[in-house]
Amino acid sequence: MIMTLTTTPTIATPALPSTGAVRPLGLGEVVITGGFWGDRQAVNRRGTLAHIAHWLEREGWLANFDLAAEGRLPDGRRGREFSDSEVYKYLEALAWETGREPDDALEQAFRGTVARVAAAQEDDGYLNTKFGRDGQGARWSDLEWGHELYCLGHLFQAAVARERTAPGSDDGLLAVATRAADLVCAVFGDGGIVSVCGHAEIETALVELGRVTANPAYIEQARLFVERRGTGTLPEIEFSSSYFQEDVPVREAAALRGHAVRANYLSSGATDVAVETGDTELLDVLAQQWRTTIARRTYITGGQGAHHQDEAFGADFELPSDRAYSETCAGVASVQFAWRLLLARGGSEYADLIERTLYNVVATSPSEDGTAFYYSNTLHQRTPGAPADPDVVVPRAESSLRAPWFSVSCCPPNVARTLASLASYVATIDDEGLQLHQFAPATVRTTLPAGGVALTVSTAYPREGEIVVTIDEAPAAEWTLSLRVPAWAEGATVTIAPAGGTPTETAVAPGYAEVRRAFRAGDRVVLRLPLAPRVTHPDPRIDAIRGTVAIERGPEVFALESVDLPGGADVADARIVADAPLADDDGRVGATLTLHEPDDAAWPFGAQPRAGGARRVEASLIPYHEWAQRGPSTMRVWIPREG
Amino acid sequence: MIMTLTTTPTIATPALPSTGAVRPLGLGEVVITGGFWGDRQAVNRRGTLAHIAHWLEREGWLANFDLAAEGRLPDGRRGREFSDSEVYKYLEALAWETGREPDDALEQAFRGTVARVAAAQEDDGYLNTKFGRDGQGARWSDLEWGHELYCLGHLFQAAVARERTAPGSDDGLLAVATRAADLVCAVFGDGGIVSVCGHAEIETALVELGRVTANPAYIEQARLFVERRGTGTLPEIEFSSSYFQEDVPVREAAALRGHAVRANYLSSGATDVAVETGDTELLDVLAQQWRTTIARRTYITGGQGAHHQDEAFGADFELPSDRAYSETCAGVASVQFAWRLLLARGGSEYADLIERTLYNVVATSPSEDGTAFYYSNTLHQRTPGAPADPDVVVPRAESSLRAPWFSVSCCPPNVARTLASLASYVATIDDEGLQLHQFAPATVRTTLPAGGVALTVSTAYPREGEIVVTIDEAPAAEWTLSLRVPAWAEGATVTIAPAGGTPTETAVAPGYAEVRRAFRAGDRVVLRLPLAPRVTHPDPRIDAIRGTVAIERGPEVFALESVDLPGGADVADARIVADAPLADDDGRVGATLTLHEPDDAAWPFGAQPRAGGARRVEASLIPYHEWAQRGPSTMRVWIPREG
C-alpha cells in the first residue's frame, strides 16, 4: 500500500518523505521515557554534547569559523578538510536535543554556534573554512577529497533538524543553509559543473532541505547528483573508483560497495530522490542492493565495512572479525538507509536491521559516560590495547579502547545526533493504524485518519521480552496496532487484554503482529518475545568465522571477553561447547567452554591437526556493546566450536 | 661452531660477513645452469631488466637525475619520494646480472645509468632528487616519510654488487656511494642528527659497504642507527610507531612487527651489526624474533604482512587469506634476514624458509615473461579481477592480476636483483666442507681448507625429488658434503655411489644429511626427497583458515583456481575431501572436491548450520606460483574441509 501523505514541516523527524508506505512520527509524537535507550539519551544530553563542544573548541574546529569571519584564514586553520562537518553534526544533535526537551544552556550553545558559523558565510552563500581563500585550494577544486559538498550536506541536515524542532526560529540557520544550497544549485545545476562530491551526503540532505522548504530545486539538484554518480566525473584515486561509488551508476550496482559510510549516505539520498520523483525502478534497485548487502556484506552486529585500508565493504562474504572495520558512522548511515526503505516500502526486515545496528553498533561506540567512542567496532580483539588517554586525540581507528576524540572525529557527533533523534525510529502510522518498530518505554501520541490515539509502551526490553502497550486514548472506530516481531523471535505471542475483559493470547510469527479492533482506553496489548540465549551459525561462505558460533539473546549479540575467563586465560584459547545449555543470567549468558593449552610449534602448519590439553570451564558472555568497559582485554564474538 | 673467515671482496654475493658459522659462495663459485630457477634467471635477464629500464624512463624516474644534474628541479620531477631507489635496485640487478654472465648491452645500460646518477650527486656527497633544493623539502627534514636514507641504502647495495662482481671498475659507482656514505656518517654520526630513517634499509647497506671498503665507520654508523631504532626519535604517525619499528628498541622486541619490509630490512641490518660487532646477545634476540615470527606471523607461502592498510604484520595468528598482503618485497627482505641468520648461526630452518619463500612468494610475483608482477600475493582471490593493462601504471596492490608497473614500484626491481643474485643462496662452506642449501641444476667450484672442490648438481626439482651431486674435483683429504633435508621431507634418503663402487642408501632426517669422506672425482651423492602431495593443517589459532587444509608438494604450495573447476563453478563453492587420495599429475595435484550449491538467505546467520546440495568432482590444483596465468579467476590456497 502506498499512501499519499500530507506532510507538515513540524513533524520533528530527520526523514519526512512526501509519500510512502508509512509516515514517520516525530519527537513531539514519540517520547522515549527510560530504559536502555532512555538512559543513553540522558548520557548523550548530559555528557556527550558538552564533551563534543569541548573538543570542537580545543581542536580549533569551531575557531576556524571565527578565523574565516575575521578574514584571517588560511593561517591558523586546524583540523582536516571535513572538520566543518563535525560542527554541523553537533548543531544537528543540539537541535534534536532541544526539540526533545528544551534547555536554556543547550539553546544558548546552539545559537552561539550558529552565530559563529553564519559569520563565516560568504556573500554568495559559500561556506567552508578550508577552500576558496588566497593560500587555499580554489572552491570545488578537489571534489574527490575536499568534502565541501559533504560538509554542506551536514549543514543542511542541521538546519532541517532546527526547522522541524523550532519552526521559524530566528537563529538564522535555515537561511544560512538555503543560501548555501542556492549556490550549490547554481554551481552544480544544469549548465554548471557536472560532477559530484567524493563523499556522498549532500544528496539526502538536499532532498530533506527541499522537503522542509518546499523547494523542488533542491530535490532536482539531489537527483542530478544521484544520476551523475558512477559516470566517471571524479578522477581515479588509489582506492579505485568504487571507493566513492563512481564505478557504476547507482541504478546499475548490485550491492553497496566501497567506503561504507559514503555508500549508505548515497543510498539514503538515492532513496529520497526515488521517493520524491516517483522513480519506482530506482527504488526497486535500491531495495535489491540493500537485500544483497544484508545477505552478504554485513556483520552479525549490523556493522558494515570489512576493510581498514579504505573503510570499505569487502567482497561478498568477506567479513573478518579481527579486522572488522564496522565504522560507527557506517552503522549510523545504514540505519538511515534502512529507515528510508522502511518508510517507502514497509517491511519488518528494515526495522530488524535497524534494531540490530542500534544495539550492536551505535550502542557499542560510546562509553558508559558518553565521553569516549569507538570509531571502528571490531568483532575480535586479539591483543589487549593500552587504555586511551582521555586527554589525547587518537587516529581514527587503531585504538583498541574507546577514545575521547579522533583526528577524523565523525563518529562522536554522529552518535549524538542519532541518539537525540532516536524517538523518530520507534513508530510510524498509515491509513490503517500505527506500527511499533522499536521497543522502548515510551509514550506515543498522534492522529490517525480515524482520530487521535495515545498509548504508553512499558518494557524492560532487551533485558526482558515483555512489551506492554497500553491504550490511553483511541478513536471509536477500528484501527490496527502493528507490533514488529523480530526475525529471531520464533515462539512470540501477543496477548490482547481489553480493559476489564479476558485476555487472549495468540502465537505470532516474525513480521508484524497486527491487532485490529476498536480499542478503548485501558486496553492492553502485550507482545512477548522469547529471549532465551541462542546459538547462531554463520553462512559457510564466510571464511573468517568457519567453525565458530556466536551467542545472541534478543537483539543483542554477545561477546566473550578475557576478563571473564579464569586466571589469565585468553579468548584465543577458548572454544565453546555449542550443544551445552546456555544460562540466562541477569543480562549475561553462561556458557560451557574449553580452554586449550597453547601448544607452540616452530612452524604452524603441519601434517596433523594440532591438538593440546584442554579443560572445561563455565564462563559468562556479556552483551557486545558492554565490552571494554573493564580495562584492556581480548574479546571475540565468534567463538570456535569445540570438537 | 663459529669460524673466523678471511673474506675477500671478490666473492660476488650480497652479504659477506667477516665471521659466521658458514661462508657464502659467490656467483663465481655457484652457477645455476637451468631448471626452475635457471629459467627464471633467463627471463629476468632477457625480459625483466629491459622492462624495468623502459618504465624507469617512461615514468621519468631516471630523468629526475638528469633534471637534478641540470639544476632544473624541482620542476618536472615525477614519481614518489622513493623513486630514486628503484633506479638503484635496477643498478644492483644489472651488476649481479653482468657478474653472472657479461653482456655488452647490460654493461652499457649499467654504465649509462651510473653516469646519470653520478651527475646528480652534489659536491658534498648528497644524492636525492626529492629534497634539498629551493622549492623542495630541506634535506633530512622528513625522516619519517622522506626515504632519503632508504634510497641511499639501495645505492650502497648497488655499489657493493658492482664492486663484488667487477672489482675496481672505473664506472665510478663505488665512489658515488662512499661519498654519500661519508656524508651520512658526518650528518648522523656522533654529534649529528640523532634519528633514523622511517624505512630501515641503510643499516644493512652500510654494513655491506663497510665490508666491501673495509671502512669500520660505515659499520659504526649502522650500529648507531640500529641502536637508535625504537627510542622515539621519529614523530608519531597515524599507523603508530610500530609501523617503522619505533615502538621498542630492537633488542627488546619479541617478534617482527609493523611494516613487513621495513621490519625485515631492519632485522637484516641488525644481524649484520651483531655479527660485525660480536654482539651475541643481539644475535640471540634476533634469532628468537625470527622464530616467533615464523611460528605466528608467517603465511604458509613464507609470505609476511597481513594488513593492506599499512603493509604490516598483524597480531600473532592473524593471517587472513583473502586480505593477505604478503608483499613481494617483504618476501625478498625475509629471505635476506633468514640468510644472514643462516650465515651467522647455521641451521636448516633458515634455508627451509628461504626455499618456501622463493618458490611461493618470489616466484609468484613475476609473470611467465617477466613483464608483470604481483605487488601483494593474496592467498585467496574472491572475485575475478580485470586483466591489468600492460600499458598502465596501477596502484600498489589493488589489482588482482599481475601489473606491469606500480606507482610504488619497489617489487619489480627487487625481484630482479634477487633472481640475478640467486646463486648466492645455493651453497656455503665452512672448515669442514660444503653445505648445499637449495636445489637447482648447478655447478659449484670453490676452495675448502682441504683443497679445491668442484661438483655438479643435476635435478629436475621441484618436479622430481632426486638431487644428484656429482663430484668433479676433490681434495685427497676427507671433507663433509651436507645436503639440506627440508622439514617436510619425512622419508628422505641419501645414496652414496662411489665412482665404480656399490651404492649405499641411508635414511636421513630433516636437517642436514652429512656425508663425510675422501671423495673422488666421479663419486655421486644422491638425495631423494619424497614429493608425494600432502595435506597440511593449520594451527587452530589461525582463525581465518579454521576448518581448511592446504595441499603442498615438496617446497611448493598448491592452489585451487576457478578455471580448473567444472562449468563455471567458483572456489567459494568448493570443499575438499581431505581423506581422499591425492593424485600426483605432472606438476599438478588431483584432488576430490565437493561443489556446493549456493543457498542464499536474506540473513547469513542462523540457528542451524546451513547445508545445501553438493556434488563430488575431481579437480586439479596448480602450484600457487603459477596462478592467474590463464585470465581472470578466483583462487584459494586454504580449502574448506568437507564434513
Side-chain angles (χ1 to χ4, degrees):
Chain A
M1 171 199 58
I2 301 288
M3 61 188 278
T4 301
L5 295 157
T6 307
T7 61
T8 76
T10 53
I11 296 177
T13 189
L16 192 54
S18 64
T19 182
V22 293
R23 196 270 275 170
L25 299 186
L27 303 193
E29 295 169 302
V30 179
V31 175
I32 297 174
T33 52
F36 186 99
W37 293 113
D39 291 349
R40 279 158 181 79
Q41 288 193 312
V43 168
N44 188 49
R45 181 184 186 90
R46 192 178 63 238
T48 302
L49 291 174
H51 175 81
I52 293 171
H54 166 75
W55 281 91
L56 289 174
E57 291 288 10
R58 172 174 159 159
E59 292 301 301
W61 301 355
L62 254 166
N64 288 339
F65 290 93
D66 306 336
L67 295 174
E70 296 160 11
R72 291 162 55 195
L73 288 180
D75 290 347
R77 188 186 182 282
R78 294 171 63 195
R80 293 285 300 271
E81 59 275 28
F82 32 71
S83 67
D84 291 1
S85 75
E86 315 311 347
V87 174
Y88 304 147
K89 272 178 275 185
Y90 166 65
L91 279 177
E92 185 186 341
L94 284 174
W96 296 123
E97 197 55 37
T98 53
R100 206 167 69 79
E101 189 183 337
D103 178 90
D104 283 348
L106 293 178
E107 178 74 19
Q108 282 175 22
F110 180 86
R111 287 178 175 266
T113 305
V114 167
R116 292 166 73 180
V117 167
Q121 188 168 35
E122 299 181 35
D123 290 342
D124 65 352
Y126 185 81
L127 182 50
N128 188 290
T129 65
K130 177 71 176 172
F131 287 92
R133 296 166 190 84
D134 286 345
Q136 294 186 321
R139 290 181 185 182
W140 326 118
S141 62
D142 183 13
L143 288 172
E144 61 272 32
W145 289 116
H147 288 75
E148 286 162 283
L149 294 170
Y150 164 89
C151 288
L152 290 179
H154 280 297
L155 172 72
F156 301 167
Q157 290 178 324
V160 167
R162 180 62 169 179
E163 183 63 14
R164 292 216 176 115
T165 52
S169 169
D170 62 357
D171 57 77
L173 183 59
L174 186 62
V176 171
T178 55
R179 279 205 306 275
D182 292 340
L183 177 71
V184 168
C185 294
V187 172
F188 289 90
D190 277 333
I193 299 172
V194 182
S195 194
V196 296
C197 184
H199 197 314
E201 152 67 22
I202 195 168
E203 297 82 358
T204 189
L206 273 171
V207 171
E208 216 60 47
L209 190 65
R211 288 165 172 168
V212 86
T213 60
N215 186 342
Y218 300 158
I219 293 169
E220 170 60 11
Q221 186 60 49
R223 191 189 67 78
L224 287 175
F225 282 140
V226 168
E227 294 295 349
R228 284 174 192 163
R229 181 75 55 174
T231 63
T233 67
L234 294 178
E236 270 289 335
I237 56 167
E238 176 170 339
F239 292 147
S240 95
S241 58
S242 64
Y243 174 78
F244 35 41
Q245 296 77 45
E246 267 284 275
D247 50 340
V248 289
V250 172
R251 59 182 80 232
E252 294 173 21
L256 270 62
R257 70 235 174 270
H259 189 268
V261 181
R262 284 166 165 82
N264 275 290
Y265 283 160
L266 174 64
S267 301
S268 297
T271 304
D272 293 333
V273 166
V275 167
E276 295 306 327
T277 61
D279 190 340
T280 54
E281 178 193 294
L282 178 58
L283 199 54
D284 287 344
V285 166
L286 290 161
Q288 182 56 48
Q289 289 174 12
W290 184 88
R291 277 192 292 276
T292 301
T293 303
I294 300 312
R296 295 172 171 238
R297 299 185 175 192
T298 300
Y299 285 98
I300 190 173
T301 54
Q304 295 183 346
H307 291 182
H308 273 243
Q309 183 177 30
D310 46 0
E311 311 189 307
F313 286 98
D316 287 350
F317 304 114
E318 182 190 328
L319 293 166
S321 283
D322 49 9
R323 294 289 282 175
Y325 200 68
S326 181
E327 183 178 339
T328 300
C329 289
V332 167
S334 166
V335 167
Q336 294 182 8
F337 179 32
W339 179 244
R340 281 159 176 76
L341 289 173
L342 187 156
L343 293 179
R345 291 284 166 99
S348 61
E349 65 271 29
Y350 302 119
D352 281 359
L353 183 81
I354 289 170
E355 175 178 64
R356 184 176 286 278
T357 308
L358 288 176
Y359 277 101
N360 301 296
V361 179
V362 175
T364 304
S365 174
S367 61
E368 286 181 298
D369 66 357
T371 62
F373 299 83
Y374 275 124
Y375 186 115
S376 74
N377 296 278
T378 188
L379 275 71
H380 182 181
Q381 181 73 33
R382 290 179 177 276
T383 53
D389 186 330
D391 208 39
V392 169
V393 175
V394 307
R396 55 191 161 97
E398 297 307 312
S399 68
S400 60
L401 290 179
R402 296 170 181 89
W405 202 249
F406 304 90
S407 40
V408 180
S409 215
C410 40
C411 296
N414 226 347
V415 169
R417 68 174 181 145
T418 303
L419 290 176
S421 59
L422 199 70
S424 298
Y425 302 97
V426 168
T428 57
I429 59 172
D430 65 8
D431 289 345
E432 305 302 316
L434 186 144
Q435 302 82 38
L436 192 64
H437 304 287
Q438 304 298 338
F439 309 120
T443 57
V444 181
R445 175 177 294 275
T446 187
T447 305
L448 299 175
V453 61
L455 43 88
T456 300
V457 182
S458 306
T459 182
Y461 189 82
R463 184 64 60 85
E464 294 171 20
E466 185 176 88
I467 296 109
V468 180
V469 181
T470 304
I471 310 297
D472 299 321
E473 184 185 325
E478 282 193 347
W479 58 279
T480 303
L481 174 64
S482 301
L483 304 171
R484 181 175 61 94
V485 181
W488 48 260
E490 295 289 344
T493 64
V494 163
T495 300
I496 303 171
T502 308
T504 57
E505 184 180 70
T506 314
V508 292
Y512 286 97
E514 299 187 351
V515 181
R516 184 167 185 85
R517 58 188 289 138
F519 289 99
R520 290 185 302 158
D523 286 357
R524 290 188 308 138
V525 178
V526 181
L527 173 65
R528 289 195 178 85
L529 301 175
L531 287 193
R534 58 191 195 275
V535 173
T536 299
H537 297 260
D539 187 296
R541 288 170 291 183
I542 306 176
D543 294 277
I545 50 176
R546 178 172 291 108
T548 69
V549 295
I551 304 300
E552 299 182 275
R553 182 181 178 281
E556 294 175 308
V557 174
F558 276 64
L560 178 64
E561 193 172 2
S562 56
V563 289
D564 292 314
L565 287 173
D570 187 88
V571 297
D573 307 326
R575 302 184 200 166
I576 188 165
V577 181
D579 54 1
L582 297 170
D584 196 350
D585 179 17
D586 194 29
R588 298 177 147 231
V589 172
T592 304
L593 307 175
T594 53
L595 292 178
H596 291 251
E597 299 288 329
D599 169 26
D600 259 330
W603 181 242
F605 310 106
Q608 300 299 328
R610 188 161 300 152
R615 62 193 165 112
R616 211 169 160 108
V617 299
E618 304 294 315
S620 282
L621 280 72
I622 56 164
Y624 170 67
H625 58 74
E626 287 183 14
W627 94 275
Q629 306 273 19
R630 295 170 290 169
S633 63
T634 63
M635 178 279 298
R636 62 188 309 157
V637 166
W638 292 99
I639 308 171
R641 271 182 288 137
E642 179 59 61
Chain B
M1 171 197 57
I2 299 290
M3 59 187 280
T4 301
L5 295 158
T6 308
T7 61
T8 76
T10 53
I11 295 176
T13 190
L16 193 54
S18 63
T19 183
V22 293
R23 195 272 274 169
L25 299 186
L27 303 193
E29 296 170 300
V30 179
V31 176
I32 296 173
T33 54
F36 186 99
W37 292 113
D39 291 351
R40 279 160 180 79
Q41 287 193 313
V43 167
N44 188 48
R45 181 183 185 90
R46 193 177 63 238
T48 302
L49 291 175
H51 175 81
I52 292 171
H54 165 76
W55 281 92
L56 288 175
E57 291 288 11
R58 173 173 160 161
E59 292 301 301
W61 301 355
L62 254 166
N64 288 340
F65 290 93
D66 307 337
L67 294 174
E70 295 160 11
R72 290 162 55 195
L73 288 180
D75 289 348
R77 189 185 182 284
R78 294 172 62 197
R80 294 284 301 271
E81 59 274 28
F82 33 71
S83 67
D84 291 1
S85 76
E86 316 311 347
V87 174
Y88 303 147
K89 270 179 274 186
Y90 166 64
L91 279 177
E92 185 187 341
L94 284 174
W96 297 123
E97 197 55 36
T98 52
R100 205 167 69 81
E101 190 183 337
D103 178 89
D104 282 350
L106 294 179
E107 178 73 18
Q108 284 173 21
F110 180 86
R111 286 178 175 267
T113 305
V114 167
R116 292 165 75 180
V117 167
Q121 188 168 35
E122 298 182 37
D123 290 343
D124 65 352
Y126 185 81
L127 182 51
N128 189 289
T129 66
K130 179 71 176 172
F131 287 92
R133 297 168 190 80
D134 286 345
Q136 294 186 322
R139 292 181 184 182
W140 326 118
S141 61
D142 183 12
L143 289 172
E144 61 273 32
W145 290 115
H147 287 75
E148 287 162 283
L149 294 170
Y150 165 88
C151 288
L152 291 178
H154 280 297
L155 172 72
F156 301 166
Q157 289 178 325
V160 166
R162 181 61 169 179
E163 183 62 13
R164 291 214 176 118
T165 52
S169 169
D170 62 355
D171 58 76
L173 183 59
L174 186 63
V176 170
T178 55
R179 280 205 306 275
D182 292 341
L183 178 70
V184 168
C185 293
V187 172
F188 289 90
D190 277 333
I193 299 171
V194 181
S195 192
V196 297
C197 183
H199 197 314
E201 153 67 21
I202 197 169
E203 296 82 357
T204 187
L206 273 172
V207 172
E208 216 61 45
L209 190 65
R211 287 165 172 169
V212 85
T213 59
N215 185 343
Y218 300 158
I219 295 170
E220 169 60 13
Q221 185 60 49
R223 190 188 68 77
L224 287 176
F225 282 139
V226 168
E227 295 294 349
R228 284 173 192 164
R229 181 76 54 174
T231 62
T233 68
L234 294 178
E236 270 289 335
I237 57 168
E238 177 170 338
F239 292 147
S240 93
S241 58
S242 65
Y243 175 77
F244 35 41
Q245 295 77 46
E246 268 282 276
D247 49 341
V248 287
V250 173
R251 59 182 80 232
E252 293 173 20
L256 270 62
R257 70 239 173 266
H259 189 269
V261 182
R262 284 167 166 80
N264 275 288
Y265 283 160
L266 175 64
S267 301
S268 297
T271 305
D272 293 332
V273 165
V275 166
E276 296 305 327
T277 60
D279 190 340
T280 53
E281 177 193 294
L282 178 57
L283 199 55
D284 287 344
V285 166
L286 291 161
Q288 181 55 48
Q289 289 175 10
W290 184 87
R291 277 191 292 275
T292 301
T293 303
I294 300 312
R296 295 172 170 239
R297 299 185 174 193
T298 301
Y299 285 99
I300 190 173
T301 56
Q304 296 182 345
H307 292 180
H308 274 243
Q309 183 178 31
D310 46 0
E311 310 188 306
F313 286 98
D316 287 350
F317 305 113
E318 182 190 328
L319 293 166
S321 282
D322 50 9
R323 293 290 282 175
Y325 200 70
S326 181
E327 183 178 341
T328 300
C329 289
V332 166
S334 165
V335 166
Q336 294 181 10
F337 179 32
W339 179 244
R340 282 160 176 76
L341 288 174
L342 188 156
L343 294 178
R345 291 283 167 101
S348 61
E349 65 271 29
Y350 302 120
D352 281 359
L353 183 81
I354 289 170
E355 177 178 61
R356 184 176 288 277
T357 308
L358 288 175
Y359 277 100
N360 301 297
V361 179
V362 175
T364 303
S365 175
S367 63
E368 285 181 298
D369 66 357
T371 63
F373 299 83
Y374 275 124
Y375 186 113
S376 73
N377 296 276
T378 188
L379 274 69
H380 182 182
Q381 181 72 34
R382 290 178 177 275
T383 54
D389 186 331
D391 209 38
V392 169
V393 174
V394 305
R396 55 194 162 96
E398 295 308 311
S399 69
S400 61
L401 290 178
R402 295 170 181 90
W405 203 248
F406 304 89
S407 41
V408 179
S409 214
C410 40
C411 296
N414 226 349
V415 169
R417 69 175 181 144
T418 303
L419 290 175
S421 60
L422 198 69
S424 298
Y425 301 96
V426 169
T428 56
I429 59 171
D430 64 7
D431 289 345
E432 305 301 316
L434 186 146
Q435 302 82 38
L436 193 65
H437 303 288
Q438 304 299 336
F439 309 120
T443 57
V444 181
R445 176 176 293 275
T446 188
T447 304
L448 300 175
V453 62
L455 45 86
T456 300
V457 182
S458 306
T459 183
Y461 189 83
R463 184 63 61 84
E464 295 172 18
E466 185 177 86
I467 296 108
V468 180
V469 180
T470 303
I471 309 299
D472 299 321
E473 185 185 322
E478 281 194 345
W479 57 280
T480 302
L481 174 63
S482 300
L483 304 171
R484 180 176 61 93
V485 181
W488 46 261
E490 294 289 342
T493 63
V494 162
T495 301
I496 303 170
T502 309
T504 56
E505 185 179 70
T506 314
V508 290
Y512 286 97
E514 299 188 350
V515 181
R516 183 166 186 85
R517 55 189 289 138
F519 289 99
R520 289 185 303 156
D523 286 359
R524 291 187 308 140
V525 179
V526 181
L527 173 66
R528 289 194 178 86
L529 301 175
L531 287 192
R534 59 191 194 276
V535 174
T536 299
H537 297 261
D539 187 297
R541 287 170 291 182
I542 307 176
D543 295 278
I545 49 175
R546 178 172 292 110
T548 70
V549 296
I551 304 299
E552 298 182 276
R553 181 182 178 279
E556 295 176 309
V557 174
F558 277 64
L560 179 65
E561 195 172 1
S562 56
V563 290
D564 292 314
L565 287 174
D570 187 88
V571 298
D573 308 327
R575 303 185 201 166
I576 189 164
V577 182
D579 55 0
L582 298 170
D584 196 349
D585 180 17
D586 194 28
R588 298 177 147 233
V589 171
T592 304
L593 306 175
T594 53
L595 292 177
H596 291 251
E597 299 288 331
D599 169 26
D600 259 331
W603 181 243
F605 310 105
Q608 300 298 327
R610 187 162 299 154
R615 62 193 165 111
R616 210 168 161 110
V617 300
E618 305 293 316
S620 282
L621 280 70
I622 57 165
Y624 170 68
H625 58 75
E626 287 182 15
W627 94 274
Q629 306 274 17
R630 296 170 290 170
S633 63
T634 62
M635 177 279 297
R636 60 189 309 157
V637 166
W638 291 100
I639 308 170
R641 271 182 287 137
E642 179 59 58

